[in-house]
Amino acid sequence: MFKRVLIANRGEIAVRIIRACEELDIETVAIFSEADENALHVQLADHAVCVGSADATDSYLNKDSILRAALETGADAIHPGYGFLSEDADFAEQVTAHGITWIGPMPETIRLVGDKDVARASMQPSGIPMAKGSEPLKNNKEAIKMAKEVGYPVILKPVSGGGGKGMYVAHNEDDLKNILDALVDLKKTNYYFEHYIERSRHIEVQIVADNYGEVIHLGERECSIQRRNQKLLEESPSIALTHEMRKQVGTLAVKAAKSVHYSNVGTVEFLLDLKDNQFYFMEINPRIQVEHGVTEEVTGIDIVRTQIRIAAGEPLDITQADVHFQGHAIECRINAEDPDNNFMPSPGQITFLHEPSGPRVRFDSGVTAGLSIEPYYDSMIAKLIVHGRTRGDAIKIMQRALKEFRIDGVKTTISLHQKILSDSYFRTGNIDTQFIKKRIATYEAQKENGKNYFA
């Protein structure tokens, strides 16, 4: 097992990793920017090193500075968390070249699954179902031709990257021309097409794989509550799946992981087409996910500790038959954004914070009262996670927890989550990836006209 782990991240995921290391008797090294000198992850770690200015490019994305901090503090492993450098195969190679263990998939795997075109090609021989797609696009003329072949509506996606960013939906050629005109340089970002499934649910499967070829899954998460392809609320299990569908998507996820010789933890993402209840592969995320906590709640398995043990060379100590699911978990991502003002970021000092607690409530955060939400980084304040006996039970617990959550000094998305949880369609599980656009947007419009949409 490792003696000392450097955490190449900040905020709640850095705190989460520190907690896992504490339980494994591993010392931790926090890195921080000048703006984060008093941050919670810095206070909790055994050692801390400043790696640059407030600008993330000079600090949390500064590979040389982070690597130097690891070497100077004697860290024998680096955990990248999510975001920042977690999917940077070149940095992972640099780390391992210096004799430091990378807590994540092998660099070649990160590179392979990070290129969606290559990843799709690698999995097609295994029979993984995929929406019809195109090759990477070279120019606007080719893009218009390819869109017709794929069939409208199409979604334009970056070949590399993730997190739902940089995607555009075109329902016809005029839509596509407007998008292409706005993008200016198609080759610079390197896009490709997929046929856009209009009525779908976003289903992802947590996978765990050791370094000896053993791969299991820890069930699925429902991630259909999104705004502009960015997840807002996640839950596990998905009530859209029957026992047979759950077994099917788990098997597909394991097959996808094996087809790219995956190791460590990751997530295989699918779209469930509601027209025919068929799953279509989207991508593999080669890192810990923001929403891993809901899976931990329903399985009782600590995914971050599992990551660390696998990276240390330990084989999986459980089989698929050992994985059992209990109850229902929901996670709300609470961001410092103003939902009443087009989700504008709301940086500033937190002057008061009362964390929700009580039975079956988990609060994952990297902030405390007196600290500031900095404008330079992601606006997440906390992940509020609850675990109930049933989905209805979990909804009630989450409503209570959101009501308890008090924070002053910044605007937050708490009110948005309260609207979601009160919506009749959400409560019955009748949701899809267009839920926010269709239901919450309608609520806002009717509220302006003096109507109570949720009555």
Side-chain angles (χ1 to χ4, degrees), residues 289-298 329 331 362 383 385:
Q289 292 276 93
V290 174
E291 59 271 24
H292 71 276
V294 292
T295 298
E296 292 181 326
E297 292 302 310
V298 296
E331 171 183 283
R362 170 174 162 179
K383 301 183 314 192
I385 306 166

Side-chain angles (χ1 to χ4, degrees), residues 13-250:
I13 189 59
V15 172
R16 174 70 184 86
I17 296 165
I18 289 169
R19 288 170 174 159
C21 288
E22 288 276 357
E23 294 169 11
L24 291 169
D25 294 321
I26 298 171
E27 291 184 14
T28 53
V29 180
I31 62 167
F32 64 95
S33 69
E34 291 174 357
D36 273 343
E37 182 178 0
N38 298 312
L40 184 59
H41 74 284
V42 177
Q43 297 178 43
L44 294 179
D46 297 299
H47 311 275
V49 180
C50 181
V51 290
S53 67
D55 185 345
T57 305
D58 186 52
S59 52
Y60 297 108
L61 292 170
N62 188 332
K63 302 177 190 179
D64 291 339
S65 187
I66 294 170
L67 193 54
R68 185 163 56 250
L71 293 169
E72 290 176 354
T73 57
D76 44 4
I78 289 180
H79 195 310
Y82 55 71
F84 291 133
L85 297 171
S86 62
E87 297 179 67
D88 190 317
D90 293 339
F91 181 58
E93 279 184 344
Q94 279 184 268
V95 169
T96 56
H98 282 80
I100 301 172
T101 301
W102 175 259
I103 301 178
M106 296 294 102
E108 55 269 28
T109 305
I110 297 173
R111 195 170 282 116
L112 190 158
V113 302
D115 187 317
K116 295 183 181 69
D117 182 54
V118 175
R120 284 168 60 93
S122 299
M123 292 179 198
Q124 280 176 335
S126 300
I128 306 294
M130 300 178 189
K132 188 174 181 181
S134 73
E135 300 292 320
L137 305 170
K138 296 176 183 175
N139 53 55
N140 289 10
K141 184 178 180 180
E142 182 188 63
I144 292 169
K145 178 175 177 289
M146 285 283 196
K148 290 178 182 177
E149 293 180 10
V150 171
Y152 287 103
V154 293
I155 183 166
L156 192 62
K157 291 183 172 183
V159 169
S160 300
K165 297 177 181 178
M167 298 183 185
Y168 305 90
V169 176
H171 290 87
N172 50 53
E173 189 170 306
D174 287 340
D175 278 356
L176 180 58
K177 286 179 178 178
N178 289 335
I179 291 167
L180 294 173
D181 287 345
L183 289 176
V184 181
D185 189 349
L186 193 64
K187 287 194 294 183
K188 189 174 181 180
T189 306
N190 203 8
Y191 283 92
Y192 76 105
F193 283 126
E194 280 182 11
H195 179 68
Y196 181 62
I197 302 170
E198 294 195 82
R199 287 204 65 238
S200 63
R201 294 176 81 127
H202 186 142
I203 306 294
E204 63 183 30
V205 180
Q206 178 71 59
I207 54 169
V208 179
D210 64 20
N211 299 327
Y212 311 102
E214 193 65 37
V215 185
I216 64 172
H217 71 83
L218 303 183
E220 86 283 355
R221 296 185 287 257
E222 170 83 60
C223 303
S224 298
I225 305 298
Q226 305 176 2
R227 176 181 174 272
R228 297 180 180 173
N229 298 312
Q230 301 290 300
K231 299 168 187 172
L232 299 173
L233 178 153
E234 301 94 357
E235 50 187 316
S236 182
S238 168
I239 63 169
L241 306 193
T242 63
H243 174 74
E244 287 305 315
M245 292 169 72
R246 183 164 291 115
K247 185 177 178 181
Q248 177 193 7
V249 76

